[in-house]
Protein backbone atom coordinates (compact mmCIF):
# COMPACT_ATOMS: atom_id res chain seq x y z
CA UNK A 1 0.00 0.00 0.00
CA UNK A 2 1.41 3.42 -0.82
CA UNK A 3 1.85 6.00 1.88
CA UNK A 4 -1.24 8.13 2.47
CA UNK A 5 -1.16 11.88 2.12
CA UNK A 6 -1.26 14.31 5.00
CA UNK A 7 -2.50 17.87 4.94
CA UNK A 8 0.14 20.59 4.67
CA UNK A 9 1.64 21.53 8.04
CA UNK A 10 -0.41 24.24 9.70
CA UNK A 11 -3.35 23.75 7.32
CA UNK A 12 -6.26 22.02 8.98
CA UNK A 13 -9.33 20.12 7.93
CA UNK A 14 -12.48 21.28 9.66
CA UNK A 15 -14.18 18.01 10.52
CA UNK A 16 -17.92 17.28 10.80
CA UNK A 17 -17.69 17.29 14.57
CA UNK A 18 -16.53 20.91 14.54
CA UNK A 19 -18.48 22.32 11.64
CA UNK A 20 -21.63 23.05 13.73
CA UNK A 21 -19.52 25.46 15.80
CA UNK A 22 -18.32 27.15 12.62
CA UNK A 23 -21.87 27.40 11.28
CA UNK A 24 -22.98 28.91 14.56
CA UNK A 25 -20.25 31.55 14.50
CA UNK A 26 -20.81 32.30 10.82
CA UNK A 27 -24.55 32.61 11.41
CA UNK A 28 -24.03 35.04 14.30
CA UNK A 29 -21.66 37.12 12.17
CA UNK A 30 -24.12 37.23 9.28
CA UNK A 31 -26.95 38.32 11.55
CA UNK A 32 -24.76 40.94 13.16
CA UNK A 33 -23.53 42.45 9.89
CA UNK A 34 -27.09 42.50 8.55
CA UNK A 35 -28.36 44.29 11.59
CA UNK A 36 -25.69 47.00 11.23
CA UNK A 37 -26.26 47.42 7.47
CA UNK A 38 -23.02 45.89 6.17
CA UNK A 39 -22.75 44.08 2.80
CA UNK A 40 -20.65 41.10 1.95
CA UNK A 41 -17.74 41.20 -0.50
CA UNK A 42 -15.85 38.08 -1.63
CA UNK A 43 -12.39 38.47 -3.05
CA UNK A 44 -10.10 35.93 -4.76
CA UNK A 45 -7.61 34.03 -2.64
CA UNK A 46 -4.69 34.82 -4.96
CA UNK A 47 -3.52 38.35 -5.77
CA UNK A 48 -0.50 40.04 -7.31
CA UNK A 49 2.37 39.90 -4.83
CA UNK A 50 2.97 43.64 -5.14
CA UNK A 51 -0.47 44.39 -3.73
CA UNK A 52 0.62 43.06 -0.34
CA UNK A 53 4.14 44.51 -0.47
CA UNK A 54 2.73 47.97 -1.16
CA UNK A 55 0.01 47.87 1.49
CA UNK A 56 1.18 45.73 4.39
CA UNK A 57 4.73 47.09 4.03
CA UNK A 58 8.04 45.59 2.85
CA UNK A 59 9.57 45.42 6.32
CA UNK A 60 6.81 43.64 8.18
CA UNK A 61 6.84 40.05 9.41
CA UNK A 62 4.12 39.14 6.94
CA UNK A 63 5.88 40.37 3.81
CA UNK A 64 9.40 39.49 4.93
CA UNK A 65 8.78 35.99 6.18
CA UNK A 66 5.25 34.72 6.00
CA UNK A 67 3.84 35.00 2.49
CA UNK A 68 3.17 32.06 0.19
CA UNK A 69 4.51 33.56 -3.01
CA UNK A 70 4.98 31.72 -6.27
CA UNK A 71 5.55 32.39 -9.94
CA UNK A 72 2.74 31.11 -12.10
CA UNK A 73 3.15 29.70 -15.58
CA UNK A 74 2.68 33.16 -17.05
CA UNK A 75 5.71 34.38 -15.06
CA UNK A 76 3.64 36.57 -12.74
CA UNK A 77 4.48 36.72 -9.07
CA UNK A 78 1.34 35.75 -7.18
CA UNK A 79 0.65 35.39 -3.46
CA UNK A 80 -1.94 33.54 -1.39
CA UNK A 81 -3.59 36.37 0.51
CA UNK A 82 -2.22 36.77 4.04
CA UNK A 83 -5.05 39.14 5.02
CA UNK A 84 -8.16 40.71 3.50
CA UNK A 85 -7.83 44.47 3.71
CA UNK A 86 -5.47 44.90 0.76
CA UNK A 87 -7.66 42.73 -1.49
CA UNK A 88 -10.78 44.54 -0.36
CA UNK A 89 -9.28 47.93 -1.17
CA UNK A 90 -8.04 46.61 -4.51
CA UNK A 91 -11.52 45.31 -5.35
CA UNK A 92 -13.13 48.53 -4.15
CA UNK A 93 -10.92 50.66 -6.39
CA UNK A 94 -11.24 48.31 -9.38
CA UNK A 95 -15.05 48.34 -9.26
CA UNK A 96 -15.52 51.99 -8.40
CA UNK A 97 -16.93 51.30 -4.95
CA UNK A 98 -14.70 53.77 -3.18
CA UNK A 99 -14.77 56.83 -5.44
CA UNK A 100 -16.55 59.52 -3.41
CA UNK A 101 -18.57 56.85 -1.70
CA UNK A 102 -19.23 55.42 1.69
CA UNK A 103 -19.19 51.66 2.13
CA UNK A 104 -19.73 49.25 4.97
CA UNK A 105 -18.37 45.86 3.90
CA UNK A 106 -17.58 42.48 5.40
CA UNK A 107 -15.82 39.34 4.24
CA UNK A 108 -15.00 35.94 5.57
CA UNK A 109 -12.51 33.38 4.30
CA UNK A 110 -9.14 31.68 4.51
CA UNK A 111 -5.84 33.56 4.80
CA UNK A 112 -2.32 32.14 4.51
CA UNK A 113 0.80 32.92 6.50
CA UNK A 114 3.84 30.72 6.85
CA UNK A 115 4.29 31.03 10.60
CA UNK A 116 5.24 28.45 13.21
CA UNK A 117 2.01 26.52 13.79
CA UNK A 118 0.76 26.24 17.38
CA UNK A 119 -2.58 26.39 19.14
CA UNK A 120 -4.45 29.36 17.66
CA UNK A 121 -1.76 29.99 15.03
CA UNK A 122 -1.93 28.23 11.71
CA UNK A 123 -0.68 28.57 8.15
CA UNK A 124 -4.17 28.54 6.72
CA UNK A 125 -6.61 30.29 9.02
CA UNK A 126 -9.95 32.03 8.63
CA UNK A 127 -10.65 35.67 9.17
CA UNK A 128 -13.89 37.54 9.40
CA UNK A 129 -13.29 41.17 8.53
CA UNK A 130 -15.08 44.49 8.41
CA UNK A 131 -13.92 47.33 6.15
CA UNK A 132 -15.59 50.72 6.01
CA UNK A 133 -14.75 53.48 3.57
CA UNK A 134 -15.54 57.17 3.39
CA UNK A 135 -16.08 57.85 7.10
CA UNK A 136 -13.75 60.36 8.65
CA UNK A 137 -15.03 60.70 12.19
CA UNK A 138 -14.66 58.55 15.28
CA UNK A 139 -18.34 57.55 14.96
CA UNK A 140 -17.42 54.70 12.62
CA UNK A 141 -14.54 53.60 14.86
CA UNK A 142 -17.06 53.39 17.72
CA UNK A 143 -19.56 51.53 15.52
CA UNK A 144 -17.21 48.74 14.50
CA UNK A 145 -15.97 48.36 18.07
CA UNK A 146 -19.59 48.19 19.29
CA UNK A 147 -20.32 45.56 16.65
CA UNK A 148 -17.45 43.40 17.84
CA UNK A 149 -18.40 43.92 21.50
CA UNK A 150 -21.93 42.84 20.66
CA UNK A 151 -20.62 39.66 19.06
CA UNK A 152 -18.71 38.65 22.22
CA UNK A 153 -21.87 39.20 24.21
CA UNK A 154 -24.02 37.29 21.75
CA UNK A 155 -21.75 34.24 21.73
CA UNK A 156 -21.05 34.41 25.45
CA UNK A 157 -17.34 35.23 25.42
CA UNK A 158 -16.16 36.72 28.64
CA UNK A 159 -12.70 37.84 29.70
CA UNK A 160 -12.02 39.80 26.55
CA UNK A 161 -10.31 43.12 26.98
CA UNK A 162 -10.36 45.99 24.51
CA UNK A 163 -6.98 47.64 24.09
CA UNK A 164 -6.87 50.97 22.36
CA UNK A 165 -4.22 53.32 21.04
CA UNK A 166 -3.78 56.06 18.50
CA UNK A 167 -0.93 56.13 16.00
CA UNK A 168 -1.67 59.75 15.06
CA UNK A 169 -1.13 61.20 11.62
CA UNK A 170 1.71 60.06 9.38
CA UNK A 171 3.67 63.26 10.05
CA UNK A 172 3.25 63.04 13.82
CA UNK A 173 4.30 59.40 13.71
CA UNK A 174 7.41 60.19 11.66
CA UNK A 175 8.44 62.85 14.18
CA UNK A 176 7.81 60.43 17.01
CA UNK A 177 9.80 57.71 15.25
CA UNK A 178 12.86 59.96 15.23
CA UNK A 179 12.59 60.48 18.97
CA UNK A 180 12.12 56.78 19.48
CA UNK A 181 15.19 55.91 17.44
CA UNK A 182 17.30 58.37 19.46
CA UNK A 183 16.00 56.80 22.68
CA UNK A 184 16.59 53.21 21.58
CA UNK A 185 20.04 54.03 20.17
CA UNK A 186 21.07 55.36 23.54
CA UNK A 187 19.86 52.07 25.07
CA UNK A 188 21.06 49.80 22.31
CA UNK A 189 22.65 47.28 24.70
CA UNK A 190 19.18 46.47 26.04
CA UNK A 191 17.74 45.60 22.63
CA UNK A 192 17.68 42.03 21.35
CA UNK A 193 18.97 41.18 17.91
CA UNK A 194 15.56 41.38 16.28
CA UNK A 195 14.92 44.82 17.72
CA UNK A 196 18.34 46.09 16.73
CA UNK A 197 17.48 45.13 13.19
CA UNK A 198 14.06 46.79 13.49
CA UNK A 199 15.66 49.99 14.76
CA UNK A 200 16.68 50.64 11.16
CA UNK A 201 13.69 49.22 9.35
CA UNK A 202 10.61 49.60 11.54
CA UNK A 203 11.39 51.09 14.99
CA UNK A 204 7.73 51.26 16.08
CA UNK A 205 7.53 47.48 16.02
CA UNK A 206 10.09 47.34 18.85
CA UNK A 207 7.32 48.57 21.15
CA UNK A 208 5.40 45.44 20.23
CA UNK A 209 8.14 43.04 21.36
CA UNK A 210 7.13 39.92 23.27
CA UNK A 211 10.63 39.61 24.81
CA UNK A 212 10.29 39.97 28.61
CA UNK A 213 13.95 41.02 28.89
CA UNK A 214 13.06 44.23 27.05
CA UNK A 215 10.13 45.15 29.27
CA UNK A 216 11.92 48.01 31.03
CA UNK A 217 13.50 49.59 28.01
CA UNK A 218 10.14 49.55 26.23
CA UNK A 219 8.10 50.86 29.13
CA UNK A 220 10.47 53.81 29.59
CA UNK A 221 10.36 54.74 25.91
CA UNK A 222 8.68 57.99 24.86
CA UNK A 223 4.92 57.47 24.50
CA UNK A 224 3.27 57.76 21.12
CA UNK A 225 0.10 58.99 22.80
CA UNK A 226 2.02 62.06 24.05
CA UNK A 227 3.20 62.93 20.55
CA UNK A 228 -0.10 62.96 18.70
CA UNK A 229 -1.08 65.79 16.36
CA UNK A 230 -4.01 67.83 17.64
CA UNK A 231 -6.59 66.43 15.27
CA UNK A 232 -5.70 62.83 16.07
CA UNK A 233 -5.79 63.64 19.75
CA UNK A 234 -9.29 65.05 19.42
CA UNK A 235 -10.38 62.08 17.32
CA UNK A 236 -9.14 59.73 20.02
CA UNK A 237 -10.83 61.65 22.82
CA UNK A 238 -14.13 61.65 20.95
CA UNK A 239 -13.86 57.93 20.38
CA UNK A 240 -13.18 57.33 24.07
CA UNK A 241 -16.23 59.45 24.95
CA UNK A 242 -18.41 57.37 22.65
CA UNK A 243 -17.15 54.10 24.12
CA UNK A 244 -17.77 55.49 27.60
CA UNK A 245 -21.31 56.43 26.60
CA UNK A 246 -21.86 52.90 25.27
CA UNK A 247 -20.47 51.37 28.45
CA UNK A 248 -17.70 49.60 26.54
CA UNK A 249 -14.62 49.49 28.73
CA UNK A 250 -11.10 49.65 27.34
CA UNK A 251 -7.53 50.05 28.40
CA UNK A 252 -5.17 52.41 26.62
CA UNK A 253 -2.06 50.50 25.58
CA UNK A 254 0.47 52.98 24.26
CA UNK A 255 2.64 50.15 22.94
CA UNK A 256 -0.06 48.80 20.66
CA UNK A 257 1.28 49.53 17.18
CA UNK A 258 -0.05 46.65 15.02
CA UNK A 259 2.05 44.65 12.61
CA UNK A 260 0.91 46.22 9.37
CA UNK A 261 2.17 49.50 8.03
CA UNK A 262 -1.06 50.96 6.75
CA UNK A 263 -2.67 52.00 10.04
CA UNK A 264 -3.03 55.56 11.32
CA UNK A 265 -4.94 57.10 14.24
CA UNK A 266 -7.12 54.52 16.02
CA UNK A 267 -5.76 51.02 16.48
CA UNK A 268 -7.35 48.42 18.71
CA UNK A 269 -7.20 44.78 19.71
CA UNK A 270 -9.56 42.52 21.61
CA UNK A 271 -7.43 40.27 23.76
CA UNK A 272 -8.34 37.23 25.85
CA UNK A 273 -6.23 35.73 28.58
CA UNK A 274 -7.46 32.26 27.70
CA UNK A 275 -5.33 31.43 24.67
CA UNK A 276 -1.81 32.13 25.92
CA UNK A 277 0.36 33.99 23.45
CA UNK A 278 -2.39 33.74 20.79
CA UNK A 279 -4.64 36.00 22.83
CA UNK A 280 -5.63 38.56 20.18
CA UNK A 281 -8.96 37.53 18.70
CA UNK A 282 -9.73 40.72 16.78
CA UNK A 283 -7.56 43.57 15.63
CA UNK A 284 -8.06 46.66 13.55
CA UNK A 285 -8.02 50.38 13.18
CA UNK A 286 -8.01 53.22 10.68
CA UNK A 287 -6.12 53.16 7.40
CA UNK A 288 -6.93 56.52 5.88
CA UNK A 289 -3.97 56.53 3.45
CA UNK A 290 -4.36 53.04 2.02
CA UNK A 291 -6.84 53.66 -0.79
CA UNK A 292 -4.65 56.38 -2.28
CA UNK A 293 -1.51 54.33 -1.70
CA UNK A 294 -3.02 51.54 -3.80
CA UNK A 295 -3.92 53.88 -6.64
CA UNK A 296 -7.44 55.04 -5.77
CA UNK A 297 -8.74 58.50 -5.01
CA UNK A 298 -7.96 59.24 -1.35
CA UNK A 299 -10.70 57.96 0.92
CA UNK A 300 -10.93 57.14 4.60
CA UNK A 301 -10.81 53.56 5.81
CA UNK A 302 -11.50 51.82 9.09
CA UNK A 303 -11.91 48.13 9.84
CA UNK A 304 -10.86 45.05 11.72
CA UNK A 305 -10.19 41.34 11.27
CA UNK A 306 -11.05 38.50 13.63
CA UNK A 307 -9.19 35.22 13.85
CA UNK A 308 -12.05 32.73 13.61
CA UNK A 309 -10.13 29.64 14.84
CA UNK A 310 -9.28 31.47 18.05
CA UNK A 311 -12.94 32.29 18.62
CA UNK A 312 -13.90 28.69 17.82
CA UNK A 313 -11.38 27.46 20.42
CA UNK A 314 -12.94 29.76 23.01
CA UNK A 315 -16.47 28.68 22.10
CA UNK A 316 -15.67 24.98 22.24
CA UNK A 317 -13.98 25.54 25.58
CA UNK A 318 -17.25 26.76 27.10
CA UNK A 319 -18.79 24.00 29.18
CA UNK A 320 -21.81 22.42 27.50
CA UNK A 321 -21.37 24.55 24.38
CA UNK A 322 -21.71 21.72 21.88
CA UNK A 323 -24.89 20.45 23.56
CA UNK A 324 -26.49 23.84 22.95
CA UNK A 325 -26.09 23.53 19.20
CA UNK A 326 -29.18 22.08 17.58
CA UNK A 327 -29.15 18.36 16.85
CA UNK A 328 -28.16 17.29 13.38
CA UNK A 329 -31.28 15.25 12.77
CA UNK A 330 -34.98 15.38 13.70
CA UNK A 331 -36.16 12.25 12.00
CA UNK A 332 -34.41 9.02 10.99
CA UNK A 333 -36.28 6.86 8.52
CA UNK A 334 -35.63 3.09 8.65
CA UNK A 335 -36.72 0.63 5.99
CA UNK A 336 -36.50 -3.12 5.58
CA UNK A 337 -36.75 -4.80 2.18
CA UNK A 338 -36.72 -3.34 -1.30
CA UNK A 339 -40.35 -2.33 -1.38
CA UNK A 340 -40.03 -0.47 1.92
CA UNK A 341 -36.82 1.13 0.70
CA UNK A 342 -38.63 2.51 -2.33
CA UNK A 343 -41.62 3.80 -0.33
CA UNK A 344 -39.21 5.28 2.23
CA UNK A 345 -37.39 7.19 -0.47
CA UNK A 346 -40.65 8.71 -1.71
CA UNK A 347 -41.97 9.52 1.77
CA UNK A 348 -38.65 11.16 2.69
CA UNK A 349 -38.70 13.35 -0.41
CA UNK A 350 -42.33 14.36 0.18
CA UNK A 351 -41.61 15.24 3.82
CA UNK A 352 -38.68 17.40 2.74
CA UNK A 353 -40.82 19.19 0.16
CA UNK A 354 -43.45 19.91 2.73
CA UNK A 355 -41.13 20.98 5.55
CA UNK A 356 -37.91 22.45 4.13
CA UNK A 357 -36.45 22.98 7.60
CA UNK A 358 -37.01 19.37 8.68
CA UNK A 359 -33.75 17.50 9.27
CA UNK A 360 -34.43 14.04 7.97
CA UNK A 361 -31.94 11.26 7.44
CA UNK A 362 -32.97 8.31 5.35
CA UNK A 363 -31.21 5.09 6.26
CA UNK A 364 -29.01 3.81 3.46
CA UNK A 365 -27.00 0.66 3.32
CA UNK A 366 -29.50 -1.98 4.47
CA UNK A 367 -29.12 -4.09 7.61
CA UNK A 368 -31.64 -5.20 10.20
CA UNK A 369 -33.78 -2.81 12.29
CA UNK A 370 -31.59 -3.22 15.35
CA UNK A 371 -28.58 -1.91 13.48
CA UNK A 372 -30.66 0.83 11.87
CA UNK A 373 -32.10 2.01 15.19
CA UNK A 374 -28.61 2.21 16.63
CA UNK A 375 -27.74 4.60 13.80
CA UNK A 376 -30.97 6.49 14.40
CA UNK A 377 -29.98 6.98 18.02
CA UNK A 378 -26.48 8.11 17.10
CA UNK A 379 -27.86 10.62 14.59
CA UNK A 380 -29.46 12.55 17.47
CA UNK A 381 -32.92 12.14 15.90
CA UNK A 382 -35.98 12.63 18.10
CA UNK A 383 -38.03 10.02 16.31
CA UNK A 384 -37.49 7.08 14.00
CA UNK A 385 -40.00 6.34 11.26
CA UNK A 386 -40.14 2.66 10.53
CA UNK A 387 -41.22 0.99 7.31
CA UNK A 388 -41.15 -2.79 7.43
CA UNK A 389 -42.98 -5.38 5.40
CA UNK A 390 -46.17 -5.03 7.48
CA UNK A 391 -46.20 -1.25 7.25
CA UNK A 392 -45.76 -1.38 3.49
CA UNK A 393 -48.55 -3.91 3.15
CA UNK A 394 -50.91 -1.84 5.33
CA UNK A 395 -49.75 1.52 3.89
CA UNK A 396 -48.70 2.51 7.41
CA UNK A 397 -45.64 3.89 9.06
CA UNK A 398 -44.55 3.22 12.65
CA UNK A 399 -43.20 6.01 14.81
CA UNK A 400 -40.66 5.22 17.53
CA UNK A 401 -39.78 7.92 20.05
CA UNK A 402 -36.04 7.84 20.68
CA UNK A 403 -35.73 10.41 23.45
CA UNK A 404 -38.82 9.87 25.58
CA UNK A 405 -40.74 7.01 27.09
CA UNK A 406 -43.76 7.01 24.76
CA UNK A 407 -45.18 3.90 23.20
CA UNK A 408 -44.49 3.29 19.54
CA UNK A 409 -47.46 4.36 17.40
CA UNK A 410 -48.59 3.38 13.94
CA UNK A 411 -50.08 5.90 11.53
CA UNK A 412 -51.45 5.76 8.03
CA UNK A 413 -48.74 6.89 5.60
CA UNK A 414 -51.07 9.57 4.31
CA UNK A 415 -51.30 11.03 7.81
CA UNK A 416 -47.63 11.39 8.45
CA UNK A 417 -47.30 14.61 6.44
CA UNK A 418 -49.61 16.63 8.65
CA UNK A 419 -48.71 14.79 11.88
CA UNK A 420 -44.93 15.10 11.70
CA UNK A 421 -44.64 18.58 13.25
CA UNK A 422 -46.88 17.55 16.12
CA UNK A 423 -44.83 14.43 16.73
CA UNK A 424 -41.68 16.54 17.02
CA UNK A 425 -43.05 19.29 19.22
P1 LIG B 1 -0.59 37.98 16.00
O1 LIG B 1 0.01 39.07 16.79
O2 LIG B 1 -1.36 36.97 16.81
O3 LIG B 1 0.40 37.34 15.07
P2 LIG B 1 -1.39 39.70 13.85
O4 LIG B 1 -1.16 41.05 14.37
O5 LIG B 1 -0.39 39.09 12.95
O6 LIG B 1 -1.68 38.66 15.07
P3 LIG B 1 -3.59 40.51 12.17
O7 LIG B 1 -2.83 40.53 10.93
O8 LIG B 1 -4.01 41.76 12.78
O9 LIG B 1 -2.84 39.58 13.23
O10 LIG B 1 -4.88 39.57 11.98
C1 LIG B 1 -6.08 39.74 12.70
C2 LIG B 1 -6.41 38.53 13.52
O11 LIG B 1 -6.30 37.34 12.77
C3 LIG B 1 -5.48 38.29 14.70
O12 LIG B 1 -5.84 39.09 15.77
C4 LIG B 1 -5.71 36.84 14.98
O13 LIG B 1 -6.90 36.67 15.73
C5 LIG B 1 -5.91 36.27 13.60
N1 LIG B 1 -4.66 35.65 13.11
C6 LIG B 1 -3.57 36.26 12.61
N2 LIG B 1 -2.64 35.37 12.23
C7 LIG B 1 -3.17 34.15 12.51
C8 LIG B 1 -2.71 32.80 12.33
N3 LIG B 1 -1.53 32.54 11.79
N4 LIG B 1 -3.51 31.80 12.72
C9 LIG B 1 -4.73 32.04 13.27
N5 LIG B 1 -5.22 33.28 13.45
C10 LIG B 1 -4.45 34.33 13.07
MG1 LIG C 1 1.22 37.74 13.17
Amino acid sequence: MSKSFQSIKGMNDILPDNSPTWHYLEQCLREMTNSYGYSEIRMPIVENTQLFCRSIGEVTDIVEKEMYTFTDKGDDSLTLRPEGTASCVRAGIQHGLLYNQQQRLWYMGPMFRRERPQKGRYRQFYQFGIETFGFNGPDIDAEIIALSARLWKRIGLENVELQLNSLGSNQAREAYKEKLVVYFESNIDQLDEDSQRRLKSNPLRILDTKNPAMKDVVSNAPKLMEHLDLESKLHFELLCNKLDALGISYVINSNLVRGLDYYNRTVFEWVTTELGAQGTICAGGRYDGLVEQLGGQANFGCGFAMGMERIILLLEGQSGFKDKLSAKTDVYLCTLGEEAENSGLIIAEKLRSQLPSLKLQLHCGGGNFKKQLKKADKSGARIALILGEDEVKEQNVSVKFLREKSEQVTLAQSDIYHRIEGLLS
Side-chain angles (χ1 to χ4, degrees):
M1 214 164 71
S2 55
K3 197 168 169 279
S4 61
F5 289 104
Q6 300 285 306
S7 64
I8 306 300
K9 183 177 168 192
M11 304 199 180
N12 303 313
D13 300 305
I14 296 171
L15 297 174
D17 195 37
N18 300 96
S19 51
T21 314
W22 283 86
H23 292 164
Y24 169 75
L25 177 60
E26 288 161 8
Q27 177 69 20
C28 292
L29 287 165
R30 289 205 166 90
E31 274 174 32
M32 203 76 67
T33 46
N34 256 338
S35 85
Y36 279 77
Y38 285 64
S39 310
E40 185 183 7
I41 180 164
R42 299 189 193 190
M43 299 83 66
I45 281 168
V46 182
E47 299 272 2
N48 274 308
T49 302
Q50 274 309 308
L51 173 66
F52 302 115
C53 300
R54 265 175 53 194
S55 55
I56 298 169
E58 295 277 2
V59 280
T60 54
D61 282 352
I62 295 179
V63 172
E64 275 184 339
K65 301 189 278 207
E66 298 172 357
M67 294 207 303
Y68 283 94
T69 297
F70 62 98
T71 309
D72 84 341
K73 293 210 167 70
D75 258 355
D76 296 311
S77 178
L78 306 182
T79 293
L80 302 188
R81 62 183 188 189
E83 57 108 51
T85 304
S87 311
C88 185
V89 170
R90 193 267 312 137
I93 296 170
Q94 182 175 338
H95 301 287
L97 305 180
L98 308 185
Y99 190 81
N100 276 339
Q101 287 188 61
Q102 295 183 326
Q103 295 287 352
R104 287 176 162 96
L105 305 174
W106 68 271
Y107 60 83
M108 189 149 65
M111 307 295 160
F112 303 84
R113 296 184 195 177
R114 201 173 188 288
E115 319 194 52
R116 192 167 69 79
Q118 48 201 298
K119 186 177 174 194
R121 188 175 297 284
Y122 311 103
R123 290 183 171 180
Q124 172 171 335
F125 61 99
Y126 285 76
Q127 281 186 339
F128 165 85
I130 286 276
E131 314 290 355
T132 70
F133 297 96
F135 301 98
N136 187 21
D139 46 1
I140 199 74
D141 310 28
E143 176 174 293
I144 67 169
I145 290 173
L147 187 156
S148 48
R150 181 177 295 278
L151 179 74
W152 314 142
K153 221 181 213 166
R154 164 83 204 273
I155 64 179
L157 288 196
E158 284 163 6
N159 308 323
V160 278
E161 179 183 85
L162 174 61
Q163 301 190 357
L164 210 55
N165 194 19
S166 176
L167 301 179
S169 67
N170 289 344
Q171 290 100 312
R173 201 162 56 254
E174 286 308 316
Y176 168 74
K177 253 189 211 169
E178 282 172 25
K179 277 201 179 146
L180 197 63
V181 169
V182 170
Y183 167 80
F184 280 132
E185 271 173 348
S186 63
N187 291 281
I188 193 118
D189 50 324
Q190 293 181 57
L191 300 188
D192 59 18
E193 207 181 307
D194 211 26
S195 299
Q196 289 190 9
R197 192 176 55 89
R198 284 195 165 135
L199 194 52
K200 303 255 152 33
S201 58
N202 198 347
L204 276 183
R205 283 310 302 276
I206 300 174
L207 297 173
D208 201 25
T209 177
K210 305 281 186 299
N211 183 352
M214 284 177 49
K215 202 164 167 249
D216 284 346
V217 69
V218 165
S219 63
N220 294 327
K223 299 272 171 290
L224 179 49
M225 195 53 92
E226 287 157 19
H227 293 81
L228 294 185
D229 52 295
L230 267 180
E231 262 185 87
S232 296
K233 209 165 166 205
L234 181 65
H235 185 103
F236 190 70
E237 278 167 15
L238 290 172
L239 171 60
C240 291
N241 291 345
K242 287 179 198 300
L243 295 177
D244 291 339
L246 288 168
I248 296 175
S249 46
Y250 51 87
V251 291
I252 295 173
N253 174 0
S254 56
N255 292 334
L256 183 70
V257 291
R258 309 285 306 113
L260 305 92
D261 271 359
Y262 49 62
Y263 287 109
N264 66 305
R265 289 197 178 161
T266 313
V267 287
F268 66 91
E269 289 191 2
W270 286 95
V271 184
T272 161
T273 49
E274 288 170 39
L275 291 174
Q278 275 60 252
T280 304
I281 53 172
C282 174
R286 295 197 74 89
Y287 46 87
D288 296 323
L290 186 59
V291 177
E292 191 175 23
Q293 198 178 316
L294 290 178
Q297 185 209 35
N299 204 351
F300 308 101
C302 184
F304 66 66
M306 279 177 195
M308 295 177 73
E309 281 83 355
R310 295 184 190 182
I311 298 169
I312 298 281
L313 281 170
L314 291 173
L315 279 174
E316 293 190 339
Q318 292 174 355
S319 67
F321 171 77
K322 280 198 173 170
D323 304 334
K324 277 191 290 186
L325 299 179
S326 63
K328 273 190 280 193
T329 310
D330 300 317
V331 176
Y332 195 95
L333 205 165
C334 309
T335 63
L336 199 63
E338 199 186 329
E339 234 180 297
E341 212 176 284
N342 291 339
S343 313
L345 189 60
I346 290 163
I347 292 174
E349 287 300 318
K350 271 196 188 165
L351 279 168
R352 292 185 184 115
S353 304
Q354 185 182 318
L355 285 174
S357 66
L358 182 73
K359 294 175 219 158
L360 185 152
Q361 246 188 73
L362 176 62
H363 180 81
C364 286
N368 60 27
F369 274 141
K370 192 167 165 223
K371 185 178 135 192
Q372 296 194 27
L373 285 169
K374 238 186 204 166
K375 287 210 167 156
D377 189 47
K378 215 172 148 203
S379 76
R382 299 266 310 281
I383 58 175
L385 298 182
I386 299 173
L387 282 175
E389 262 177 48
D390 289 348
E391 282 88 355
V392 170
K393 219 184 291 159
E394 313 284 331
Q395 298 269 301
N396 286 338
V397 56
S398 295
V399 183
K400 187 173 167 63
F401 297 89
L402 300 170
R403 313 289 151 196
E404 63 213 70
K405 281 204 172 68
S406 299
E407 285 289 306
Q408 183 164 319
V409 292
T410 300
L411 304 173
Q413 282 179 13
S414 54
D415 282 346
I416 191 71
Y417 305 103
H418 61 263
R419 294 284 302 276
I420 193 80
E421 277 182 298
L423 290 168
L424 287 167
S425 63

